[in-house]
Amino acid sequence: MKGARTTLISICCMLILLLETSQAEETQWQNKTRTPAILVFGDSVVDPGNNNAIVTMVMCNFAPYGQDFIGGQATGRFSNGKVPSDFTASTLGIKQYVPAYLGTELSAYDILTGVSFASGGSGYDPLTSELVQAISMTQQLNLFKEYKQKLKEIAGEKRANAIISKSLYSVITGTDDLANTYFTTPFRSVEYDLPSYIKFVVQHASSFLQELYHLGARKVSITGVSPIGCLPSQRTLAGGIERECVTRYNQAALLFNSVLSKEVQRLNHTLPGSDFLFVDMYDILLDMIQHPNAYGFEVVTRGCCGTGIFEVTMTCNTFTATVCEDVSKYLFWDTYHPTERAYSILIQKLQTKYYPFFN
């Protein structure tokens, strides 16, 4: 009897020890990093290859794209190497690269630490993605819902909920809405004047962010648009013979950023527990364009691929376009997207500017 009682006590002690160990491991995991995962939504700036899995006109899973990525692999990233989400993830100590949710064999680790749902050619305006058959922002939210279920299957509901609530959500889009849908095609410009169109786009952005919040996101960075009038493509299309920066386009970008920033602030005050940040990259990128020597660049009006005047996506290829000799001297890889080095500098500057949020 005494021996049975001793055995019972020993078993109880072991169970308590195991429970304490399990709780300690859970606490250790939760404290390991304040940002367990990064989840990315947007356009080609942060698409690491989702467009490889769909039928679209916006593709780049071929050389010379990715020439400076691991193994010179064209993953579907719209640059010569890493893109902003990769730099953000590595700086935060989450992982080195953020994989595409579609078209790749995702490991449990990939799911646990975050993926990108972004699609080249997408925008807040539903028409933007429709024009090029990209994955719309609404569809990206649907993919996120699917991802959440996979996360729960891998991590269990409690841990999955913790990851969802503590992760960093990065939203980078809007440039295509202005540069392509409004200024390049006639569909929206005949329906809206510029201020009205921007209001329309920001309303869609607000709806997206509110839905993302209701799906569990709390810490969200929303990046504004760049000085689109200085992109090589827009210089070519509307910059005249000298291919100057297009003032009207840059003014549109500034107005868009102003309206979106105010809406992000409003949402921060109306959504309990939200930590939304508007990230303004306009001034930093414009300074890089206006003072290239300060950043070690020599060419800012053309892309590295081909002539650098019109080549982007399908027209930037090894059959019809050569690559510049020294990509490190170029701010832009093609006529729309910066080089890996430019992205590295930009993200470093932004994370310094918004240090409290990212740390």
Side-chain angles (χ1 to χ4, degrees), residues 151-166:
L151 180 63
K152 287 181 180 180
E153 293 171 1
I154 292 171
E157 189 163 358
K158 182 179 178 181
R159 186 180 176 188
N161 289 338
I163 291 173
I164 292 299
S165 64
K166 294 182 179 181

Side-chain angles (χ1 to χ4, degrees), residues 301-334:
T301 62
R302 295 182 288 108
C304 169
C305 187
T307 63
I309 295 175
F310 69 88
E311 293 88 350
V312 63
T313 62
M314 293 296 188
T315 52
C316 175
N317 61 77
T318 53
F319 299 102
T320 63
T322 56
V323 177
C324 63
E325 290 185 7
D326 188 354
V327 66
S328 68
K329 296 178 180 179
Y330 282 69
L331 179 61
F332 291 97
W333 166 248
D334 56 25

Side-chain angles (χ1 to χ4, degrees), residues 100-269:
Y101 179 69
L102 297 178
T104 53
E105 290 292 332
L106 295 173
S107 66
Y109 175 79
D110 291 328
I111 296 292
L112 290 168
T113 53
V115 296
S116 174
F117 307 99
S119 173
S122 189
Y124 293 118
D125 181 350
L127 179 61
T128 300
S129 55
E130 189 178 327
L131 289 171
V132 293
Q133 296 88 51
I135 304 168
S136 70
M137 298 301 285
T138 298
Q139 290 170 328
Q140 289 180 39
L141 285 175
N142 289 335
L143 293 177
F144 175 53
K145 293 175 185 176
E146 183 180 290
Y147 159 86
K148 285 179 64 179
Q149 186 58 41
K150 292 181 179 180
L151 180 63
K152 287 181 180 180
E153 293 171 1
I154 292 171
E157 189 163 358
K158 182 179 178 181
R159 186 180 176 188
N161 289 338
I163 291 173
I164 292 299
S165 64
K166 294 182 179 181
S167 291
L168 171 65
Y169 294 77
S170 177
V171 183
I172 303 180
T173 191
T175 296
D176 287 340
D177 292 323
L178 293 175
N180 296 336
T181 305
Y182 191 79
F183 287 123
T184 304
T185 66
F187 305 111
R188 293 303 194 197
S189 58
V190 297
E191 186 178 0
Y192 299 95
D193 60 21
L194 184 58
S196 298
Y197 180 66
I198 287 174
K199 182 180 179 181
F200 167 79
V201 173
V202 170
Q203 285 173 344
H204 278 281
S206 180
S207 296
F208 171 85
L209 293 171
Q210 290 178 70
E211 178 64 17
L212 188 61
Y213 170 86
H214 291 305
L215 288 172
R218 290 298 179 267
K219 188 173 185 178
V220 186
S221 68
I222 303 98
T223 303
V225 300
S226 64
I228 59 174
C230 293
L231 298 179
S233 59
Q234 306 310 304
R235 289 176 182 266
T236 300
L237 291 171
I241 297 176
E242 298 297 322
R243 298 183 63 254
E244 301 287 347
C245 288
V246 187
T247 302
R248 181 176 177 236
Y249 291 8
N250 282 351
Q251 290 174 340
L254 286 171
L255 179 59
F256 175 84
N257 287 343
S258 175
V259 177
L260 179 59
S261 175
K262 290 175 183 176
E263 179 59 17
V264 170
Q265 290 177 14
R266 188 190 72 81
L267 291 175
N268 243 339
H269 289 107

